[in-house]
Amino acid sequence: MANIPHFDGHESAGVSEVLYMNDLLFILMLIGALGVSSQWIAWRFRLPAIVVMSVMGLLVGPILGIMDPNEDLGALYGPLISIAVGIILFEGSLNLDFREIKGLGKPIFRITTVGAFLAWILGSLAAHYIADLSWAVAFVIGGIFIVTGPTVILPLLRQAKLKPRPAAILKWEGIIVDPFGALVAVFAYEFVKFITMADVTFITVLGFLAGSLLAAVIGAIFGYGIGWMFENGYVPEFLKSPVVLASVVMAFALSDAVVHETGLLAVTVMGMTIANMHISSIGDMRHFKENISILLISVIFIMLTASLDRDILLSIFDWHIVIFILIMLFVTRPLSIFLSTINTDLTFKEKLLVGWIAPRGIVALTVAGYFAGVLTDAGFEDANILTSLTFGLVFATVVAHGFSLGFVSKKLGLSTESKPGVLIVGSSKFSVNLAKVLEDLNIPVLVTDSSWSRLSHARRLGVPYEHGEILSEQTDYQIDLTPYEYMIALTEYDSYNTLVSSTFMPAFGREHLFQLPLQVNQGDHLEDVSKHISGHLLFEESANWSTLNEKINKGYLFKKTTITNQYPYNQFLKELDSESILMLVLRKSGSIEFYKPGSTLRPEAGDTVISLQKPPQN
């Protein structure tokens, strides 16, 4: 007879622990893989990331029942959600530099103050009287729903190509209001919790206010401490990001331990403090936190949607919830915008567009998921519908606004209907003449340079320009990057071009960043610079700054050649002079493709080729 292994109680427990760990590892792997792959699919096919992640989470969760993170992760589920929301909120508050608020027009100031307050009150009333939620839950969800976060609105603005004015309003509303949504929810939750307690007294209310103040102080101390250490060189570069991440978790946990549920307030104040210290490494910090936030948002969104119960998910279609969502779309948002912008210079059409566009995003759902657990634990049973309610509003607004923004803006005459724009860094005879050609093709273009004298070329030809250092934070606030899909660095300094490309890689993506070929025999000698930190090289290997400007001085001209069936691209190449340089192709679809060394572009009938050619011989 075969020897059958015998397990005593300890051995059996050990095997169970191993099996549990394997299951837990698989669940964590699946959550991460689904979150990141959803973001990639959304980027690849130009879809709203929230829609893709919603489908993924619902498929593996309530539909197919592959996993239920709430049960699978057990005691880890709550802390993971809490810490992730804290980090996401900190990343959002890092963008709340008070310099951005200064100088904003009256409409933006009104919308981000009066409008946000009205949206909170109106949304809370709708949640209570229409969705039949208790006052505590209604005021919390009303605070969360004022958020139209930049992670949702900015991609929509890039696709819709709005005129600068409505685009600026929607952009800055998202940036400024984003950190305050969860903050309002925190105050609403704490305040309502205290006034609904049976033994509420003045002392308990005072304790609530003191606890909130203490949380703010803790956040400010952590923020100031981090900024001071960074500026005085007490933290090496390679440790800055880990120190910030650990400090955020510490501030959140410490504040929450001292006064329960005030961690979100602490990390928000911490981020605001760092943002307004204007430390030199704030840019790198934002990039790192943004990357972490994208990962956390993806993971948390999958966890929340996969944890939805089928019954709660189906409750979204309850007529109370459906009417609430319709009220939020067609009454609360438009009313708050129209009332808050009375006596401003916004036109009726601009008010109509801004009043319609208010997509809620991943941050709203993650924060709502966090408060759903907190409120349920506090005894508010109707809070179990918060996640599904928020999911319904998020999904409805992303689909409705995401797919209608372009159509509505065109109908209202608020769309530029222009081609993808080009931001040119460096003013010279060549770059300005190239900008003029792009402008003649109705391509949005802007030339930036820190030298007023070099910008004389742009002023002479009448092309749009911006005087300022593109790497300066102040200039970054002044320039709206929304119209520009491409950035090309055309200065005479190879090192500066590479620095610009490296700095703006998170904003544009490497595939949309270009710079001039290196000047091998002169200049900075950057032959060994990693391609990972530089933009794509433009035109051809010999087309450096000196060569291009020398050709302009010799009278070379930009030529626009339309390829047709009668005049194919092969014929154009045969007639092209050997000293001419191919610049770019404007596709008949409106997209732009730049020539690169070794490029294999094949323009087709209807495409326009831009080239730099010899002047005609007399």
Side-chain angles (χ1 to χ4, degrees), residues 110-149:
R110 289 272 198 89
I111 289 172
T112 55
T113 52
V114 179
F117 178 76
L118 289 174
W120 177 31
I121 299 301
L122 293 173
S124 301
L125 293 174
H128 177 70
Y129 288 109
I130 304 298
D132 202 25
L133 298 177
S134 64
W135 280 115
V137 178
F139 271 96
V140 169
I141 201 67
I144 296 172
F145 284 166
I146 71 173
V147 172
T148 63

Side-chain angles (χ1 to χ4, degrees), residues 46-244:
R46 294 181 175 273
L47 298 171
I50 297 176
V51 175
V52 180
M53 286 187 287
S54 300
V55 173
M56 289 283 195
L58 293 176
L59 278 176
V60 299
I63 295 178
L64 299 178
I66 296 175
M67 67 174 179
D68 182 352
N70 195 5
E71 292 185 3
D72 297 333
L73 299 180
L76 290 175
Y77 183 80
L80 283 176
I81 295 287
S82 300
I83 293 175
V85 171
I87 294 172
I88 292 168
L89 190 59
F90 171 77
E91 191 272 332
S93 61
L94 272 181
N95 295 314
L96 198 57
D97 190 328
F98 292 135
R99 293 179 299 181
E100 298 177 357
I101 302 176
K102 294 178 181 178
L104 290 179
K106 184 188 290 186
I108 300 177
F109 178 77
R110 289 272 198 89
I111 289 172
T112 55
T113 52
V114 179
F117 178 76
L118 289 174
W120 177 31
I121 299 301
L122 293 173
S124 301
L125 293 174
H128 177 70
Y129 288 109
I130 304 298
D132 202 25
L133 298 177
S134 64
W135 280 115
V137 178
F139 271 96
V140 169
I141 201 67
I144 296 172
F145 284 166
I146 71 173
V147 172
T148 63
T151 56
V152 184
I153 196 66
L154 292 184
L156 294 183
L157 294 179
R158 285 188 180 276
Q159 294 177 12
K161 302 173 186 176
L162 293 182
K163 288 184 177 179
R165 186 178 168 92
I169 292 173
L170 291 170
K171 170 190 173 184
W172 292 116
E173 180 195 12
I175 291 175
I176 295 172
V177 176
D178 182 54
F180 286 121
L183 189 58
V184 170
V186 169
F187 276 109
Y189 165 70
E190 291 290 347
F191 188 74
V192 174
K193 186 177 72 172
F194 272 103
I195 65 174
T196 54
M197 289 171 57
D199 57 345
V200 64
T201 63
F202 175 75
I203 300 299
T204 57
V205 175
L206 191 63
F208 156 66
L209 297 175
S212 300
L213 179 61
L214 180 59
V217 170
I218 291 173
I221 290 174
F222 269 85
Y224 181 80
I226 289 292
W228 181 81
M229 290 173 66
F230 282 13
E231 284 297 273
N232 288 277
Y234 289 108
V235 179
E237 288 296 324
F238 74 94
L239 272 182
K240 284 185 176 180
S241 294
V243 165
V244 172

